[in-house]
Amino acid sequence: MASTAFLIGGDLEVRRLGFGAMHLPTEPGPAREGSVAVARRAVELGVTLIDTAYMYGGGANEELLAEALHPYPDGLLVTTKVGVARSGPAGEWKLDGRPAVLREQVEQALRRLRVERIELLQLHRIDPDTPLADQVGTLRDLRAEGKIGRIGLSEVTVGELGQAREIVEVASVQNRYNLLDREHEPVLAACEAAGIAFLPWRPVAWGESGARAEIAAVAAEAGATPTQVALAWLLGHSPVILPIPGTARIGHLEENLAAERLRLSPAHRERLDGLTGPAS
């Protein structure tokens, strides 16, 4: 039976099945009220890992979570991401890992989340126009200053992860990964070997219709939904996987979290494992 908890960075305990806040509407009105209710319900149901980012509304998502959950209950980790900014020629979003930008975004995240330290801060993407050592080094300096507790990366290769780990301890990696999209299996393997948390984004995306039919068949046999099967497969696939499915509906949230109780049989796992394989 897979463990339901994980120690990020070896010391920060979270429930493995978390919540991704990206899809929560932040505009004033009933939609925002619904978002606040979903975030609060997630915590009521025992979620201890909530993922957000500056890019989600230019900080609006962070402000929403603070409105809904601050003062934060003991044991709740709200992790955010920096390194994408509206610094394109026409003000469009682009990767921006310049040290001054990262510092400013961390300072603003501290203010919006109403905390003195971000326990897990992730680099949203590696900026190809800024030396990796400058980007990761800035986060290392912010950690030394007490503004960051642990450092994570997102959308990295095995090589980039290795380079970053030569500069600073890496507590988490957030790459796209799910039952039908295992391009980053080598990165997952590297994280597992090092005890690094692996937070798959888009954890329940579907692929071609044939694969969907197979998942639906397993779900019917297991008395579960296809989404629950996809999440249960992730939880059993590697002990370092921390899925963060997102939704703006309480019903979907409850369905997602119930996946933790789903026990897939060895036969079901074998069928699901065969749907796709590591990228060649």
Side-chain angles (χ1 to χ4, degrees), residues 124-183:
H124 208 143
R125 296 287 189 276
I126 291 176
D127 175 6
D129 296 327
T130 303
L132 176 62
D134 290 354
Q135 299 175 68
V136 178
T138 298
L139 300 185
R140 178 194 59 203
D141 293 345
L142 286 163
R143 188 187 65 181
E145 295 164 23
K147 295 177 179 179
I148 294 173
R150 295 152 200 83
I151 295 167
L153 304 173
S154 182
E155 281 302 288
V156 292
T157 64
V158 171
E160 289 166 341
L161 174 59
Q163 293 172 43
R165 293 182 67 208
E166 292 177 0
I167 301 166
V168 72
E169 298 88 352
V170 175
S172 70
V173 167
Q174 188 167 331
N175 277 21
R176 190 191 70 251
Y177 185 89
N178 58 64
L179 175 56
L180 298 178
D181 180 359
R182 305 183 209 172
E183 174 187 351

Side-chain angles (χ1 to χ4, degrees), residues 8 12 14 48-51 73 75-79 118-120:
I8 298 179
L12 184 62
V14 297
T48 57
L49 168 61
I50 296 180
D51 175 84
L76 176 63
L77 169 65
V78 178
T79 174
I118 297 169
E119 293 300 335
L120 176 62

Side-chain angles (χ1 to χ4, degrees), residues 14 46 52 92 109 121 176 186 199 203-204 209 217 229 263 266:
V14 297
T52 183
E92 69 271 20
L121 189 285
R176 190 191 70 251
L199 284 63
V204 292
S209 59
V229 167
R263 301 288 171 253

